[in-house]
Structure formats: structure tokens, C-alpha cells
Amino acid sequence: MELKRNIITVYETSSTMDLAKEFSKIFLPPFIVRAFIQTKGRGQYERKWQSTYGGLYFTEVLDLNNILGFSTFLSIPILRVLKRFVEKVKVKWPNDIVIEKKKLGGILVEKSNFTYAGIGLNVQNDVKDFVNFSVSLKDFVDIDKETIFWAILEEESNLIDKFFENGFKNFKKEYEENLAILNKKTKVNLGYKVVEGVVVGVGNSGELLLDENGKITDIFSGSIVNFYE
Ligand code: BTN
């Protein structure tokens, strides 16, 4: 699937997630909505996503039957591109893009009539207000957000058909090789309780495999509270 063909770019919007939903009333997917600034950028768990000029903010609108593993898959083209510039970029399950423990980017997937996959990356924007837990590519390398944007779309266009055919499992090994929490003692919030164990990998659908004192649990949904060296 070619993702570079239909792109709507605006200078500023509240959130490309919402604008993409508006455009889906008049355009058929696949298409992408991109903005240079978001005034109400949002992340997972209703967190705010700081979206000042210089970052990369876009939402892909796709017509997918099955989204199992899709958001985890999406981290693969992003990792491949970012690692060309900063080798130590990793993924923190399920799809936080990190450098050491600091967040460089994130993915938000929302499903309604279509699948809306929002990607936010700190590229040339300043993250000084959030410096304790965020990081920007510009702190490591002088790189233009346009280069990153087009390279991600190119890489994803080349990989997405393989995801449609066989799901996430083809990407499992590459994902694990780049997983920041692999073999680390990790605390995971499941929403109704917090569990702790050692991450031993991911399953064929991108679920986290956590070893809790010898018992392996499959976690399909949750967020990492912390992990330890
Ligand atoms: C997360 O890590 O919590 C996900 C962050 C996703 C941010 C992107 S920026 C483009 C799109 N529009 C939004 O409002 N959010 C996503």
C-alpha cells in the first residue's frame, strides 16, 4: 500500500485525530492528515501531547478489518528510520519510542468507522518543559522533520502489506531486538492492578510476555509504570 499519495497538511489544528475523522466523511482511506502545530494534541490514557512547531504530528486513516497488533507493528518503520540517525532509539511496549528512559515519540490508535493511527515525534521541537521525561531528536542530531516524515511513510508503505498478510508475527523478532524492557524487571499497570515481573518477549500479536516468578502472563493491554536495569 502506498501511503505517500494522499496527504492533507494544515498548519494548525486541535488534533489531527479529530481533523482526520472530519475528513473521513468526505474522503475514502487510505489518507493522512498532518499538522505543524496541534493545540489539543492527545496521547494514550487521555494524556496531553505537547505539539509545538518543529515536531512531527500526523494521523493515518486506514480501512483495516483487524487491528490486532497494528499499533505494535507501526513502531517498526519508525524505529528503522530513527535508528539511521540515532542508534540508541528503542521501543517501550507497546509503542512508545524512547531514548534511554525518555520519550521521543508515541502512537495512538483509535478505531471507529476506520482506523486512525496518530503518530507524534519530537524532532526539532523543544521539550524543555517536559525535560525529565521527554527528549527530542534535535538533542542528538541535526535532522529535518520532512526527511523523517517521508522516510517513515516510505518504510511503512514497504512493510504494511506483509503486516496485512501475516499480522505482527513477522516483525516480532525485530521488535524484541529493539525492546527497551527486554529481560528487565518491569512494573505494568493493567488498569485494575499493577503486576511486576521480567519481560521475556512479545507474542505473535504483540502482547507482552511477563515472567512473574516462573509463570508467564500474556498482557494485551496495559502501560509500563517503570523498569529497572
Ligand atoms: C502516546 O504516546 O500517548 C501517543 C501520542 C500520540 C500523539 C499523536 S500526534 C498526532 C496525533 N494527534 C494527536 O492528537 N495525537 C496523535
Side-chain angles (χ1 to χ4, degrees), residues 8 19-29 31 33 61 113-114 116:
I8 300 153
L19 191 57
K21 285 173 191 170
E22 285 303 311
F23 276 118
S24 78
K25 295 175 185 160
I26 46 172
F27 294 131
L28 280 178
F31 67 89
V33 176
V61 186
N113 52 341
F114 299 118
Y116 297 84

Side-chain angles (χ1 to χ4, degrees), residues 14-18 33 38 40-45 47-49 51 56-59 95-97 103 105-108 117-121:
S14 54
S15 160
T16 56
M17 302 304 280
D18 299 332
V33 176
Q38 296 183 118
K40 280 195 181 130
R42 61 177 186 266
Q44 296 175 75
Y45 304 104
R47 290 180 195 133
K48 178 177 156 41
W49 187 262
S51 310
L56 196 50
Y57 317 108
F58 62 100
T59 296
N95 47 30
D96 283 358
I97 308 297
K103 192 148 164 169
I107 300 170
L108 175 70
I119 296 172
L121 290 174

Side-chain angles (χ1 to χ4, degrees), residues 26-193:
I26 46 172
F27 294 131
L28 280 178
F31 67 89
I32 289 173
V33 176
R34 180 183 175 195
F36 290 104
I37 294 171
Q38 296 183 118
T39 51
K40 280 195 181 130
R42 61 177 186 266
Q44 296 175 75
Y45 304 104
E46 286 162 38
R47 290 180 195 133
K48 178 177 156 41
W49 187 262
Q50 195 207 21
S51 310
T52 51
Y53 187 85
L56 196 50
Y57 317 108
F58 62 100
T59 296
E60 300 177 358
V61 186
L62 302 165
D63 192 5
L64 305 183
N65 299 324
N66 184 358
I67 64 160
L68 188 64
F70 180 68
S71 72
T72 325
F73 153 75
L74 263 186
S75 53
I76 298 287
I78 298 173
L79 280 167
R80 284 195 187 182
V81 170
L82 297 181
K83 283 169 72 82
R84 288 179 207 155
F85 305 99
V86 184
E87 178 56 36
K88 57 186 176 182
V89 173
K90 296 216 171 232
V91 60
K92 189 179 83 178
W93 184 87
N95 47 30
D96 283 358
I97 308 297
V98 296
I99 294 182
E100 276 131 26
K101 281 195 170 181
K102 293 187 178 180
K103 192 148 164 169
L104 183 67
I107 300 170
L108 175 70
V109 175
E110 294 177 353
K111 172 98 182 132
S112 50
N113 52 341
F114 299 118
T115 299
Y116 297 84
I119 296 172
L121 290 174
N122 299 320
V123 182
Q124 292 158 301
N125 52 318
D126 225 328
V127 291
K128 65 178 183 311
D129 297 348
F130 295 83
V131 81
N132 290 327
F133 53 91
S134 293
V135 77
S136 185
L137 266 191
K138 80 175 178 59
D139 303 332
F140 298 87
V141 67
D142 184 17
I143 183 83
D144 173 31
K145 63 183 182 316
E146 300 309 307
T147 309
I148 303 286
F149 177 62
W150 294 105
I152 289 173
L153 295 191
E154 171 80 30
E155 195 69 52
E156 189 188 341
S157 300
N158 293 337
L159 296 178
I160 201 165
D161 291 330
K162 207 164 158 193
F163 172 79
F164 291 148
E165 280 160 32
N166 285 309
F168 174 74
K169 67 171 180 286
N170 287 334
F171 302 98
K172 182 176 127 69
K173 184 169 170 283
E174 185 173 348
Y175 183 90
E176 285 176 340
E177 283 164 2
N178 289 294
L179 183 58
I181 57 177
L182 187 69
N183 298 325
K184 306 233 163 102
K185 194 170 160 197
T186 303
K187 237 185 221 176
V188 191
N189 188 347
L190 305 181
Y192 56 97
K193 66 171 177 176

